[in-house]
Amino acid sequence: MKPLSELKLKVLDLLREDARRDPKLLATLVGSSEQEVAEVIAELEEDHVIVKYATVVNSSKLDDEKVTALIEVQITPERGRGFEAIAERIYLFPQVMSVYLMSGAYDLLVEVEGRNLKEVASFVSDKLSPLESVLSTKTHFILKKYKQDGIIFEDPEEDRRLMISP
């Protein structure tokens, strides 16, 4: 794949900050025409550079909090397909939000979401661990999110120090 043009990179960066920006505002920000920006966005979508527009939700503000876990998975790669086949089997489970191939002590990092701890634990013990290629798992439950996708969830604390004047 060829590298993206400077215009496409600028538009992409601005959409990462706020996907709700309209082409007219984007055109102003990048110094281009609205039509050209609309065409750039269409190309980025068609080429699957932009695959989805999503909303980042601060789940601590909701009554219906879900449990999120990050699971380190060690696997035996499949002959001829490497990590691809097992990664595909894992990401097809509806509880799985993300799957990453990692370097280091484990092979895959799997993000799972459930209604409660028991549901996530059941997924790990009944669905993930029994997979033939899975050698071991280590589950980490997320207790609190401070920042996600570049967005800080906490309101900054007010500076309560006393002012000192000479």
Side-chain angles (χ1 to χ4, degrees):
M1 184 173 196
K2 65 181 182 176
L4 297 178
S5 70
E6 188 175 330
L7 176 61
K8 285 183 180 180
L9 289 173
K10 285 180 182 178
V11 169
L12 197 55
D13 284 342
L14 290 168
L15 287 174
R16 279 185 184 143
E17 289 174 10
D18 184 357
R20 293 174 34 167
R21 287 184 170 137
D22 69 341
K24 185 175 183 176
L25 175 59
L26 291 170
T28 302
L29 293 171
V30 298
S32 186
S33 73
E34 185 177 346
Q35 181 180 344
E36 188 175 14
V37 168
E39 289 170 4
V40 162
I41 293 170
E43 286 177 29
L44 290 169
E45 291 170 345
E46 189 176 304
D47 294 341
H48 294 279
V49 174
I50 296 175
V51 293
K52 182 180 180 180
Y53 296 92
T55 302
V56 178
V57 176
N58 184 351
S59 59
S60 68
K61 303 277 185 182
L62 302 175
D63 290 335
D64 181 34
E65 286 195 49
K66 295 184 178 182
V67 174
T68 305
L70 299 175
I71 307 166
E72 300 174 7
V73 184
Q74 285 186 315
I75 61 174
T76 303
E78 192 176 289
R79 177 171 281 183
R81 290 203 61 204
F83 296 104
E84 303 300 318
I86 187 67
E88 183 177 344
R89 285 195 65 195
I90 293 170
Y91 70 61
L92 289 175
F93 287 113
Q95 301 90 328
V96 174
M97 308 315 296
S98 304
V99 178
Y100 305 98
L101 181 62
M102 305 295 291
S103 64
Y106 54 95
D107 303 304
L108 298 176
L109 181 64
V110 179
E111 181 181 358
V112 176
E113 196 172 82
R115 289 187 308 248
N116 51 46
L117 292 172
K118 186 175 182 179
E119 189 175 278
V120 173
S122 177
F123 168 78
V124 174
S125 63
D126 299 342
K127 295 182 179 175
L128 183 60
S129 293
L131 293 175
E132 191 175 313
S133 299
V134 173
L135 300 174
S136 70
T137 64
K138 188 184 294 184
T139 304
H140 306 274
F141 289 97
I142 295 177
L143 303 177
K144 183 176 181 178
K145 290 183 182 179
Y146 295 100
K147 184 176 182 178
Q148 178 182 331
D149 296 331
I151 298 167
I152 298 170
F153 291 133
E154 296 293 313
D155 294 327
E157 277 195 33
E158 189 178 311
D159 189 357
R160 298 173 192 219
R161 296 178 291 178
L162 295 175
M163 188 184 305
I164 300 174
S165 58

